[in-house]
Amino acid sequence: MATSLSRSQDELRPQLGRNLTYGLLDRLGRAIVTGQYETQPFPTEAELTTQHGVSRSVTREAVKMLTAKGLLSARPRQGTVVEPTSSWNLFDTDVLRWLLERQFSVELLKQFNQLRVAIEPEAAALAARFASNADIEAIGEGLARMEAAEAGMDDTLEADIAFHVSILRASGNPFYVQFRDVVGTALRTSIRFTNRVKGRTANVADHGRVLEAIQARDPNSARTAMRALISDVLELIDAHENTPA
C-alpha cells in the first residue's frame, strides 16, 4: 500500500513541477513586462526561490525560459538582468499576452493592427489564389460559427479567431501560417476591446465579403475586403484615443 502511494506521488511530481515552473514563469514574466524591475535589480536565483517558495530547479527553469523569450540575460559580474523591450521576442505568445495586459495597451493594439494590415490582406489574397476546397470550407465554417454566435449558439471571440486563423492557413504559405498563434493571442484582447467600444460583435457581413472574394478566386477583392476589416479596427482605436477622458 505504501509502495503504491509512493509510486503515485512520484508520477504526479513531474506534472506538479511543470505547473510550478509555468506558474513562476507567468508571475515573473508579467512582473518584468509591467516594469516592476525598472528601478530595482532582478532577484538572484536564491532570492527567487525563497520569495516564491519553489525549488532551485523550478526557479532555474523559469529563468531559462524567460531568457529564451529575450526578457532576461546573464552577464558577467552583473548576474541576471532584465533586457530592454527591443530585445523581447514580441512574437512569443506569452510575451504578447503580458504586453497586452499592461495598463497602457491601446497603443500596442494599434501597433499590432498595423502589423495585421501588412499580413492578413495578403494572406487573404494568397488564399484566393491557392486555397484548397477544404481550406475554403474551413473559412466558411469560421463564418458559420460567427453567425451562430450572433444567435447565442457559439462563442463570438473564438468564432472570430477561427475565421482569421483559417485564412492564414489557407494562404498555403508556411510563414503566414506561423502567425496563427500570435494572431489568436492578440485578437483575444483586440476583439474584446473593439466589441466593448462598439457595443456589438464583429460585423459578420464584412467577414462574409472576404469569404466571397476567396471563393470567387479574386485576390484583389479578398485583399481589399480584409484590409477594410482591419482598417475599421484601426479607425476605432484612433477614435478612442482622441476621445476626451
Side-chain angles (χ1 to χ4, degrees):
M1 183 72 171
T3 303
S4 176
L5 180 59
S6 176
R7 186 178 299 115
S8 297
Q9 291 173 332
D10 288 341
E11 290 169 353
L12 286 170
R13 220 168 262 130
Q15 183 180 352
L16 180 62
R18 181 179 175 83
N19 290 340
L20 285 173
T21 300
Y22 279 84
L24 183 59
L25 169 76
D26 188 66
R27 190 180 304 173
L28 293 176
R30 186 178 286 107
I32 292 169
V33 171
T34 56
Q36 292 186 32
Y37 295 109
E38 286 182 353
T39 58
Q40 58 181 307
F42 190 76
T44 64
E45 183 181 294
E47 289 170 339
L48 289 171
T49 299
T50 301
Q51 290 171 6
H52 300 280
V54 295
S55 68
R56 282 288 186 96
S57 60
V58 166
T59 300
R60 196 171 297 121
E61 185 62 25
V63 169
K64 186 186 301 182
M65 294 167 74
L66 289 167
T67 300
K69 295 175 187 295
L71 273 64
L72 297 175
S73 67
R75 298 181 182 175
R77 295 186 295 278
Q78 294 185 45
T80 301
V81 298
V82 175
E83 286 291 291
T85 307
S86 58
S87 296
W88 299 353
N89 180 4
L90 300 182
F91 292 105
D92 182 280
T93 53
D94 286 329
V95 176
L96 182 60
R97 175 169 52 83
W98 296 325
L99 281 167
L100 290 170
E101 290 174 0
R102 290 200 310 196
Q103 183 177 359
F104 302 103
S105 61
V106 173
E107 180 63 22
L108 184 66
L109 283 176
K110 182 177 181 178
Q111 292 168 348
F112 173 74
N113 281 287
Q114 289 168 342
L115 176 65
R116 289 181 63 201
V117 166
I119 294 170
E120 293 192 65
E122 293 308 314
L126 287 172
R129 293 181 60 194
F130 302 118
S132 66
N133 291 335
D135 290 330
I136 295 176
E137 184 177 341
I139 299 171
E141 288 172 357
L143 185 66
R145 287 187 60 185
M146 293 183 69
E147 293 169 342
E150 284 204 330
M153 295 184 291
D154 204 330
D155 182 273
T156 55
L157 175 60
E158 295 300 330
D160 203 342
I161 290 172
F163 178 85
H164 285 274
V165 170
S166 65
I167 291 176
L168 291 175
R169 291 196 178 101
S171 72
N173 185 312
F175 293 99
Y176 281 92
V177 178
Q178 286 293 311
F179 279 98
R180 66 185 183 278
D181 291 336
V182 174
V183 167
T185 300
L187 280 179
R188 292 182 194 283
T189 299
S190 182
I191 291 171
R192 287 192 187 101
F193 168 80
T194 54
N195 288 354
R196 185 178 71 249
V197 173
K198 289 189 298 185
R200 61 179 175 83
T201 56
N203 190 311
V204 175
D206 289 346
H207 286 71
R209 279 187 273 277
V210 177
L211 174 60
E212 288 169 5
I214 293 173
Q215 289 172 326
R217 301 295 184 178
D218 186 341
N220 289 332
S221 294
R223 182 185 295 111
T224 300
M226 181 62 83
R227 183 175 291 117
L229 265 182
I230 304 170
S231 295
D232 180 58
V233 177
L234 282 167
E235 289 170 7
L236 192 68
I237 293 172
D238 284 338
H240 177 77
E241 287 182 321
N242 294 326
T243 300

